[in-house]
Amino acid sequence: MKLIAQSENIEDFLDSNFIYVDKTEYIYNLTKNYKRVFFSRPRRFGKSLTLNTIGTLFEKGVEPYFKETWIYDKWDQDKYPVLHLNFLEYSTSDLAEFKRRLCISIYRFAEAHKIKELLKDKEPSVLIVNLFEAMKDGQRIVLLIDEYDCQLTANINNPALYDEFKNCIRDFYAALKGKKQIKFLAVTGVTRLKDVSIFSVGSDINDLSYDHAFSQMIGFTRDEIKKFYIDYLKLGISYEKHIDADSVTSSDVEEFLDRMAEQYDSYCFDNYYERKVFSTYSVNNFLKAIVKDERVVFGDYWYDVGGLPSILKNYMDSHNLNIDKLLTSEIAIPYNDFINPTTLIDINENVLMCQTGYLTLKSEIVSGYSVTLGPANREVRAALFLLLSLKIFDTTAPAFGLTNRYVIEKGNVDEIISLFNEVLAALSYDKYPVNDESTLRALLQVYLLGKNHDVRVEQHNSKGRSDIIVNFPKRRVILELKYTDKVREEKNKLVEAENQIIEQGYGLEDLGDRELLQIACVFNGDKSKRQITMFKTVDRS
């Protein structure tokens, strides 16, 4: 059984017997049809491996790294020197140091490829032009730039330094425009800032971030997982069903993939909203864990890698996220806000959430019409609400401790209400005051979803809609919430909540053999209370 890759260098795949999910047909079409491209993807989605693969093909050809891949007998490009610049390696806090390190990369490339008479300069935009002028007539290079926006995302809250980096990077891309010495140029990053850097002065660069033809070039499709990881799928199924891997059926595999899809699939980078992909990082870690732990656990890996990246941390330090919008399954964004974000300083927060992978396309992209965004899957939804929890709650409070992991699933009603009161006590009330029932419901939802519980809010049945439903394999918990700020109203509110549960039959739909725990609750929002003061378990007998 081949190993799951732990490298972004295609050469390691052959040397270490790693699985390579063959994306070479996309790369062939990319390099045949375009000369200068840009594509954005969230962190750890496979951008760097894609650039490395392109660089290896141009610099070394198909031997020996691309045997048994689609491109092996089709690649007919000449070999070219590859200048691969990874902006993650350069300073984000010192512009002079950033320039120095970038210039060193260019000098080393020139030395390695015996490009002589290179005039020295401390400005990268000048030095790259000097490099082109020092090259022999007819000589061309391939230029690959990874994480072009790293210095910008690190300085959202430092407008002066942000502008300095922006101007430097813009000048650098201006120097590349139209240069005949560039055989092929590919740029990647997290954000798409058209008026800030590469697009305003580099209009010959094609933005393929949401191009239908290349929407699955980065990320895994269901068919790719089934083809390249079939041994891992069968191993997981064999552990779950306690059978031999050879006894696993095709229907077993499809059911297993269905559950993987619910957790890790449905990122969309397709302007037609047709093609979707799984998170490469999450799939690889999920399947590696099956081998390591000898069991199947649908873990949450997205937050570990992208949970609070610097771009969002910096943004959240100076902006409040719109909780009401993020709690909806779909968010409409004005077309121009989505297509032409100008600067990270004033970017639409939901566009930023999309570019960092917390939201994804939920509609076509049509000029002049709003673009719909939403969470891709359960894993990223949990990461999104864990992120919100960090903003809303004091997560060092006992309610967020591991000892409370199974309280809602297995605890009694007193323990559950005690937990919710601990959660509400951890609120930043100055920023997020609980003044009504809808706010109370939203804040509890943020907590529950941040813990990756299966939460349904205002779920409809034939008679009405319940406030919060939390589903577990053997239990369903119903919460009917009422708000007041007056002690004298508490009893009546409790009776109202109880009667509503009974009359509407909340939680009875598709219950199966699960235990049903229906709880009527009253929250008193008076500043001397701020807790659930009365509650009652509904007796269905």
Side-chain angles (χ1 to χ4, degrees):
M1 190 161 70
K2 284 192 172 185
L3 301 175
I4 293 175
Q6 302 179 54
S7 172
E8 295 174 339
N9 188 331
I10 192 67
E11 296 179 29
D12 292 336
F13 283 67
L14 178 65
D15 297 338
S16 303
N17 195 35
F18 288 149
I19 293 171
Y20 176 62
V21 177
D22 190 357
K23 298 288 188 177
T24 57
E25 184 174 0
Y26 292 108
I27 292 172
Y28 178 88
N29 292 331
L30 183 75
T31 56
K32 281 289 186 181
N33 293 301
Y34 296 96
K35 297 301 181 185
R36 296 160 184 259
V37 300
F38 167 81
F39 46 87
S40 68
R41 289 295 185 273
R43 293 268 189 255
R44 298 295 291 272
F45 225 88
K47 301 188 298 295
S48 296
L49 176 59
T50 301
L51 285 190
N52 180 267
T53 303
I54 292 170
T56 302
L57 283 164
F58 272 114
E59 194 164 46
K60 299 184 178 181
V62 294
E63 290 285 358
Y65 306 110
F66 295 93
K67 289 182 178 179
E68 300 180 6
T69 66
W70 183 93
I71 207 170
Y72 182 69
D73 58 353
K74 301 174 182 68
W75 181 260
D76 57 1
Q77 299 271 14
D78 293 332
K79 293 181 180 179
Y80 296 89
V82 175
L83 174 55
H84 192 158
L85 305 173
N86 186 345
F87 279 25
L88 287 174
E89 298 175 355
Y90 308 141
S91 176
T92 61
S93 58
D94 186 325
L95 180 63
E97 178 63 11
F98 167 79
K99 291 180 179 181
R100 188 184 74 84
R101 291 292 305 277
L102 180 52
C103 288
I104 286 175
S105 297
I106 297 171
Y107 284 128
R108 286 176 176 171
F109 171 82
E111 183 179 358
H113 295 281
K114 298 180 172 56
I115 300 174
K116 301 178 180 179
E117 300 180 6
L118 171 61
L119 296 177
K120 293 184 177 182
D121 203 282
K122 293 182 179 181
E123 289 294 329
S125 59
V126 176
L127 185 61
I128 195 71
V129 171
N130 292 349
L131 175 73
F132 295 145
E133 292 177 350
M135 291 166 58
K136 297 177 181 178
D137 288 343
Q139 185 177 7
R140 293 193 290 174
I141 68 171
V142 170
L143 180 55
L144 307 176
I145 301 174
D146 210 356
E147 305 292 356
Y148 88 99
D149 53 348
C150 176
Q151 283 64 34
L152 303 178
T153 63
N155 289 289
I156 293 175
N157 293 331
N158 189 340
L161 190 56
Y162 179 97
D163 282 342
E164 289 180 7
F165 274 114
K166 177 196 70 176
N167 292 334
C168 176
I169 293 170
R170 184 178 58 194
D171 291 346
F172 184 75
Y173 285 103
L176 303 179
K177 185 177 180 180
K179 291 295 184 290
K180 63 182 181 180
Q181 292 88 351
I182 300 177
K183 163 65 178 177
F184 182 80
L185 167 66
V187 183
T188 76
V190 174
T191 59
R192 299 162 54 250
L193 304 170
K194 292 212 168 187
D195 295 337
V196 173
S197 53
I198 66 175
F199 302 105
S200 57
V201 293
S203 58
D204 57 346
I205 298 178
N206 295 279
D207 181 3
L208 302 180
S209 298
Y210 289 95
D211 187 279
H212 174 76
F214 298 99
S215 58
Q216 293 177 322
M217 181 174 69
I218 300 176
F220 295 154
T221 68
R222 183 184 179 110
D223 287 343
E224 287 169 343
I225 295 172
K226 186 160 57 173
K227 176 179 179 180
F228 293 100
Y229 292 94
I230 187 63
D231 291 339
Y232 288 84
L233 302 180
K234 289 183 175 180
L235 181 64
I237 295 165
S238 72
Y239 285 142
E240 283 195 317
K241 292 182 174 288
H242 305 289
I243 58 175
D244 189 85
D246 293 335
S247 301
V248 172
T249 67
S250 58
S251 61
D252 289 334
V253 172
E254 294 301 331
E255 187 274 335
F256 195 77
L257 283 167
D258 285 343
R259 287 188 287 144
M260 285 183 63
E262 183 179 352
Q263 194 75 12
Y264 307 122
D265 193 13
S266 296
Y267 293 93
C268 183
F269 306 101
D270 179 3
N271 59 296
Y272 292 119
Y273 188 57
E274 292 176 356
R275 298 173 176 175
K276 301 177 180 65
V277 290
F278 287 71
S279 161
T280 55
Y281 182 81
S282 298
V283 168
N284 279 337
N285 278 278
F286 167 67
L287 296 176
K288 282 191 289 187
I290 289 175
V291 176
K292 180 174 68 73
D293 300 334
E294 298 184 349
R295 67 188 66 194
V296 175
V297 177
F298 286 90
D300 297 321
Y301 306 101
W302 179 260
Y303 190 84
D304 292 340
V305 62
L308 194 59
S310 61
I311 180 174
L312 278 181
K313 182 179 184 302
N314 293 337
Y315 184 89
M316 289 169 63
D317 285 345
S318 55
H319 299 75
N320 280 329
L321 299 176
N322 189 320
I323 296 172
D324 289 338
K325 280 191 175 181
L326 292 173
L327 284 170
T328 63
S329 58
E330 294 185 344
I331 303 169
I333 304 297
Y335 174 82
N336 193 61
D337 284 4
F338 184 80
I339 293 296
N340 297 308
T342 55
T343 169
L344 283 174
I345 303 298
D346 59 8
I347 191 172
N348 181 305
E349 68 178 54
N350 295 306
V351 174
L352 179 61
M353 299 293 278
C354 183
Q355 293 183 356
T356 52
Y358 279 90
L359 302 175
T360 193
L361 275 183
K362 294 289 183 178
S363 73
E364 292 182 77
I365 303 174
V366 181
S367 178
Y369 292 87
S370 62
V371 180
T372 304
L373 307 177
N377 50 52
R378 283 194 64 184
E379 180 193 40
V380 77
R381 189 174 179 82
L384 170 60
F385 286 100
L386 185 53
L387 178 71
L388 286 175
S389 293
L390 293 173
K391 182 74 172 178
I392 296 169
F393 300 105
D394 173 9
T395 55
T396 63
F400 294 83
L402 188 60
T403 55
N404 288 311
R405 182 178 181 183
Y406 297 108
V407 166
I408 303 171
E409 182 177 3
K410 299 178 180 179
N412 60 43
V413 175
D414 288 341
E415 291 169 333
I416 292 172
I417 297 301
S418 177
L419 172 61
F420 285 146
N421 277 333
E422 288 181 1
V423 170
L424 295 167
L427 270 172
S428 301
Y429 271 93
D430 55 333
K431 295 182 179 179
Y432 302 98
V434 182
N435 294 324
D436 52 47
E437 183 182 315
S438 62
T439 302
L440 173 64
R441 182 174 59 244
L443 293 171
L444 288 178
Q445 184 186 1
V446 168
Y447 170 78
L448 292 166
L449 288 168
K451 297 302 182 184
N452 202 15
H453 292 314
D454 180 4
V455 181
R456 315 295 166 89
V457 175
E458 293 195 313
Q459 179 162 312
H460 292 260
N461 66 13
S462 60
K463 297 180 180 180
R465 56 188 185 183
S466 53
D467 278 338
I468 294 179
I469 295 179
V470 191
N471 285 317
F472 299 100
K474 296 182 179 180
R475 171 185 274 187
R476 172 177 289 169
V477 178
I478 305 295
L479 294 176
E480 184 60 31
L481 305 166
K482 297 299 175 185
Y483 175 89
T484 183
D485 56 7
K486 298 176 179 63
V487 173
R488 65 176 182 273
E489 294 181 352
E490 290 178 351
K491 289 184 179 180
N492 288 337
K493 290 285 185 180
L494 184 64
V495 171
E496 182 183 343
E498 180 183 12
N499 289 339
Q500 199 166 327
I501 290 174
I502 295 171
E503 292 169 4
Q504 305 297 340
Y506 293 152
L508 295 174
E509 62 278 1
D510 302 318
L511 179 63
D513 58 357
R514 284 180 285 197
E515 172 197 6
L516 180 60
L517 192 58
Q518 299 167 307
I519 310 173
C521 308
V522 178
F523 177 88
N524 191 321
D526 183 89
K527 64 181 180 180
S528 65
K529 301 284 186 180
R530 290 179 176 170
Q531 63 179 338
I532 297 171
T533 52
M534 298 190 74
F535 61 93
K536 183 177 182 181
T537 304
V538 175
D539 184 359
R540 292 187 292 125
S541 61

